[in-house]
Amino acid sequence: PHPGPLLEGEGEGSGAMTRTWLLTDAPASRAQAAWGRRYRLWLAFRCNPLAMVGLLTILVLAALSLLAPALAPYDPGLQDLAHRLARPSAEHRLGTDELGRDILSRLLFGGRITLGMVVAVVLLVAPVGLLVGCVAGYAGGVWDRLLMRVTDIFLAFPRLILALAFVAALKPGVTSAVAAIALTAWPPYARLARAETLGIRGTDYIAAVRMTGAGAGRIVLRHVAPLCIPSLVVRVTLDMSSIILTAAGLGFLSMGAQPPSPEWGAMIAKARQFILDQWWVALAPGVAIFVASLAFNLLGDGLRDVLDPKAES
């Protein structure tokens, strides 16, 4: 169920009716209450201009990456040695690299690789960290000690060093880099989910669910985990900047996407020998990494203000 029927029609009357339906203090159904809560969260989020800037920047970066085949003026692998290291001009908006490849085209296609790696890592680590933390927090006892000691082992290693070791043991590439980053990124989410679960499992709400005969698995998956998701979303969003930097670092060290793939970190690695004279070669991917990281940080701060119940006055 959704407020779709109320959105049919034209004019300001329909909009006012929808707003009244969403903001009512006495919702007539669970669906209305859920949509009203989402709308209130959106209104609170929209009041944060920096968070909106971060959201819009991320949407623009995602759109540019997805539409790269249509927007890129050249093939990202097309070499033109006659125009190698050309300055930015009308023909090449951001100049060319050491092989005469158009930097703007490579930047657009590189966003698909770098941002795609970030999305893949998040889709892998968020469910794993949530499940491990919820199980450890709800089960307690030996399961809690076992799962948390495994988590502590992974937390003891620096993320980039452990990722490098994992990639070195495999064949360097995008798949290996995603697996390596995911292997090192899940422990903080497990810790966060466990802390949230410890505060939830003793509530009257969970006791009532348990009295209905629900098993531990159903309680964890249907009742505990959903309550941990808001805090996890905030942490994931704030961590995306570090995931981007780790992915770019692996690419810079030739452990991520392999040539001729236009990954942002790999582009900087190839451009470092020209950084003093042909500065534009390294500037574009460096700015892209900076903008993407900053946008996720701004978005994460805005989501934290809206979703963190401890921040409510």
Side-chain angles (χ1 to χ4, degrees):
H2 56 79
L6 294 176
L7 296 177
E8 297 176 0
E10 300 176 355
E12 296 181 358
S14 177
M17 184 185 302
T18 301
R19 182 180 176 87
T20 302
W21 188 85
L22 290 170
L23 296 179
T24 180
D25 293 329
S29 64
R30 295 177 60 183
Q32 184 178 0
W35 279 101
R37 181 175 182 276
R38 296 187 190 110
Y39 185 65
R40 287 184 175 87
L41 290 176
W42 165 248
L43 292 178
F45 179 84
R46 195 175 62 180
C47 293
N48 189 330
L50 291 180
M52 289 298 297
V53 169
L55 176 61
L56 293 176
T57 302
I58 292 169
L59 293 177
V60 169
L61 290 175
L64 291 176
S65 300
L66 292 174
L67 298 176
L71 297 177
Y74 299 93
D75 185 323
L78 180 63
Q79 300 182 14
D80 184 7
L81 297 179
H83 296 87
R84 64 186 299 270
L85 299 175
R87 287 181 172 273
S89 63
E91 185 177 2
H92 299 283
R93 298 292 183 181
L94 297 178
T96 62
D97 63 6
E98 73 280 1
L99 296 178
R101 297 172 296 192
D102 183 66
I103 294 178
L104 176 59
S105 301
R106 291 180 62 78
L107 196 69
L108 293 173
F109 277 91
R112 309 182 91 185
I113 298 176
T114 303
L115 298 180
M117 290 174 65
V118 174
V119 173
V121 169
V122 169
L123 292 178
L124 285 173
V125 302
V128 171
L130 178 63
L131 181 61
V132 170
C134 289
V135 170
Y138 185 80
V142 63
W143 284 106
D144 185 23
R145 292 193 294 271
L146 177 62
L147 292 174
M148 286 303 99
R149 294 302 77 77
V150 173
T151 303
D152 291 339
I153 291 173
F154 281 94
L155 285 173
F157 291 93
R159 177 177 294 186
L160 184 57
I161 300 301
L162 185 59
L164 285 172
F166 186 82
V167 174
L170 301 175
K171 181 181 179 180
V174 173
T175 303
S176 299
V178 169
I181 299 173
L183 184 68
T184 62
W186 67 268
Y189 307 140
R191 279 289 186 182
L192 178 62
R194 175 182 178 270
E196 294 283 339
T197 303
L198 290 176
I200 294 171
R201 70 177 184 180
T203 60
D204 295 338
Y205 165 71
I206 297 300
V209 173
R210 194 181 298 116
M211 291 177 63
T212 63
R218 179 180 176 85
I219 293 175
V220 168
L221 295 177
R222 296 290 301 274
H223 302 283
V224 174
L227 296 176
C228 298
I229 288 178
S231 297
L232 195 71
V233 168
V234 174
R235 180 60 188 264
V236 167
T237 308
L238 290 171
D239 276 359
M240 279 186 173
S241 60
S242 65
I243 295 174
I244 290 176
L245 295 177
T246 303
L250 290 175
F252 183 85
L253 297 173
S254 301
M255 293 291 186
Q258 299 299 297
S261 297
E263 196 271 329
W264 291 346
M267 291 173 65
I268 296 178
K270 294 295 183 182
R272 66 182 185 274
Q273 55 186 315
F274 312 109
I275 195 168
L276 295 180
D277 297 322
Q278 289 82 25
W279 48 267
W280 58 88
V281 182
L283 178 64
V287 170
I289 293 173
F290 169 78
V291 169
S293 300
L294 180 61
F296 278 114
N297 280 333
L298 295 176
L299 177 61
D301 286 338
L303 290 176
R304 180 179 57 193
D305 294 340
V306 172
L307 296 177
D308 186 2
K310 302 180 183 64
E312 296 179 0
S313 56

